[in-house]
Amino acid sequence: GAVVSQHPSWVICKSGTSVKIECRSLDFQATTMFWYRQFPKQSLMLMATSNEGSKATYEQGVEKDKFLINHASLTLSTLTVTSAHPEDSSFYICSAEQYFGPGTRLTVT
Amino acid sequence: AQSVTQPDIHITVSEGASLELRCNYSYGATPYLFWYVQSPGQGLQLLLKYFSGDTLVQGIKGFEAEFKRSQSSFNLRKPSVHWSDAAEYFCAVGPFTGGGNKLTFGTGTQLKVEL
């Protein structure tokens, strides 16, 4: 079946730094990808819709200047958490079609 | 607004017993429904999905789900649970477009399997 990968699988960064997370569709093209956030023992919350070649669409309450999304090709979307703070620590998961990536665990110290 | 309710936060069953996980949805149009499973620290694996047609849907790992429009439900079932089925299960609803799926998830049901 279709596969979606994410890199890195986990990352630790210091407060104030930026972190980039990659999401790739490995065997299909995706004009649209989705970024979700999941807090421990909670459900997934949609953050934004990543559109190839155009601006991302953010859900209400999600800071677009903090969570930068770039969808430069039909197989790659990136999420950059800028000026990260401890409250940004979370599990970030991307999806394409109905397939989800393995997630990226971000810890901000 | 669309929403998904999974009434059971935790469920414990014995290995070999049958399982039913409940899911109720609210959606303004024809719903597209999904069940996913998540192991600790992992991403989500699609178990099955329903778009249209036969309301009883077969999925992977021996799971099935039945869409009941009159009850706005999409319950997940398995006749005989295996210890490896212990995980978090999420029901989700959304539109199906050519560009993919923007999903709304339920809060999840944690399944524990007793040996």
Side-chain angles (χ1 to χ4, degrees):
Chain A
V3 177
V4 176
S5 70
Q6 282 184 241
H7 178 79
S9 56
W10 61 272
V11 57
I12 301 173
C13 70
K14 293 186 176 181
S15 186
T17 62
S18 296
V19 174
K20 180 184 286 187
I21 302 170
E22 295 185 346
C23 175
R24 293 181 186 273
S25 56
L26 296 183
D27 52 2
F28 65 101
Q29 294 182 332
T31 56
T32 304
M33 293 183 176
F34 302 90
W35 286 95
Y36 294 82
R37 182 174 181 177
Q38 185 180 31
F39 290 103
K41 299 190 183 298
Q42 294 189 26
S43 188
L44 284 76
M45 298 297 293
L46 179 66
M47 297 175 64
T49 303
S50 174
N51 304 298
E52 189 269 334
S54 64
K55 291 183 178 180
T57 304
Y58 292 82
E59 296 301 302
Q60 190 172 9
V62 177
E63 300 176 62
K64 62 180 181 181
D65 294 330
K66 180 164 193 61
F67 299 100
L68 301 179
I69 291 173
N70 183 277
H71 195 150
S73 78
L74 289 172
T75 59
L76 173 65
S77 174
T78 61
L79 169 68
T80 300
V81 182
T82 63
S83 186
H85 291 282
E87 58 265 30
D88 298 324
S89 298
S90 191
F91 194 54
Y92 293 89
I93 308 177
C94 71
S95 75
E97 300 295 334
Q98 67 265 48
Y99 305 102
F100 282 78
T104 297
R105 173 76 59 193
L106 170 64
T107 300
V108 184
T109 60
Chain B
Q2 60 202 52
S3 66
V4 178
T5 301
Q6 292 181 247
D8 305 305
I9 299 174
H10 300 281
I11 283 185
T12 300
V13 299
S14 299
E15 189 176 36
S18 63
L19 170 71
E20 182 170 34
L21 302 182
R22 295 182 291 167
C23 172
N24 292 95
Y25 67 89
S26 174
Y27 194 71
T30 301
Y32 292 102
L33 297 156
F34 304 82
W35 274 100
Y36 288 89
V37 60
Q38 184 180 35
S39 297
Q42 303 296 314
L44 276 72
Q45 181 180 22
L46 178 66
L47 288 175
L48 47 80
K49 60 190 178 186
Y50 173 77
F51 294 139
S52 64
D54 192 345
T55 56
L56 185 62
V57 181
Q58 301 298 319
I60 63 171
K61 303 185 176 185
F63 286 94
E64 66 177 27
E66 186 172 11
F67 171 63
K68 293 185 178 180
R69 184 185 297 276
S70 61
Q71 298 177 19
S72 297
S73 69
F74 189 56
N75 295 348
L76 181 71
R77 301 194 294 249
K78 187 170 184 177
S80 178
V81 171
H82 189 263
W83 64 267
S84 60
D85 293 326
E88 185 91 20
Y89 290 80
F90 292 97
C91 180
V93 66
F96 180 76
T97 67
N101 298 101
K102 179 178 177 180
L103 301 181
T104 298
F105 283 84
T107 50
T109 297
Q110 182 71 48
L111 174 64
K112 181 180 177 181
V113 180
E114 292 182 331
L115 300 177

